[in-house]
Amino acid sequence: MNIQTLNEKLELIQWLSTLEDASVIKKLMLLKKEETKDWWNSISEEEEKSINEGILQADNNELRPHSEVRKLYGKWL
């Protein structure tokens, strides 16, 4: 983190500590909640299906060695 970002964070902390407007505080809390939202809830059904399929394959020990995967998908990596 650079010094400018640190200074900005400190400025925000100072501003928040003096903030009395409840509507602004509520808006900030909503923003915080949005920023910490679980990414799983925002992926597509296709992505979710693909991830679950991969987990199932791993659970069934249907894994490929890293070297084999590199050969298959190397051009995209």
Side-chain angles (χ1 to χ4, degrees):
M1 180 182 317
N2 65 35
I3 192 75
Q4 181 179 352
T5 303
L6 182 59
N7 285 336
E8 290 170 345
K9 286 175 69 172
L10 291 172
E11 186 179 336
L12 281 171
I13 291 168
Q14 183 179 10
W15 174 70
L16 283 171
S17 70
T18 62
L19 191 60
E20 294 182 14
D21 188 335
S23 66
V24 174
I25 293 170
K26 285 181 182 180
K27 288 177 187 176
L28 290 169
M29 291 305 293
L30 287 173
L31 176 63
K32 178 182 177 271
K33 188 175 182 179
E34 272 299 306
E35 290 295 316
T36 57
K37 170 171 74 169
D38 189 348
W39 61 269
W40 183 260
N41 297 324
S42 62
I43 63 174
S44 70
E45 285 182 34
E46 184 179 334
E47 291 169 317
E48 186 177 336
K49 182 181 175 185
S50 180
I51 292 168
N52 284 328
E53 183 179 323
I55 292 170
L56 183 61
Q57 289 172 338
D59 289 344
N60 292 330
N61 206 25
E62 298 170 358
L63 304 173
R64 294 185 178 190
H66 182 260
S67 57
E68 186 178 328
V69 174
R70 293 283 298 176
K71 287 178 190 174
L72 288 170
Y73 301 103
K75 63 183 174 184
W76 293 291
L77 299 176

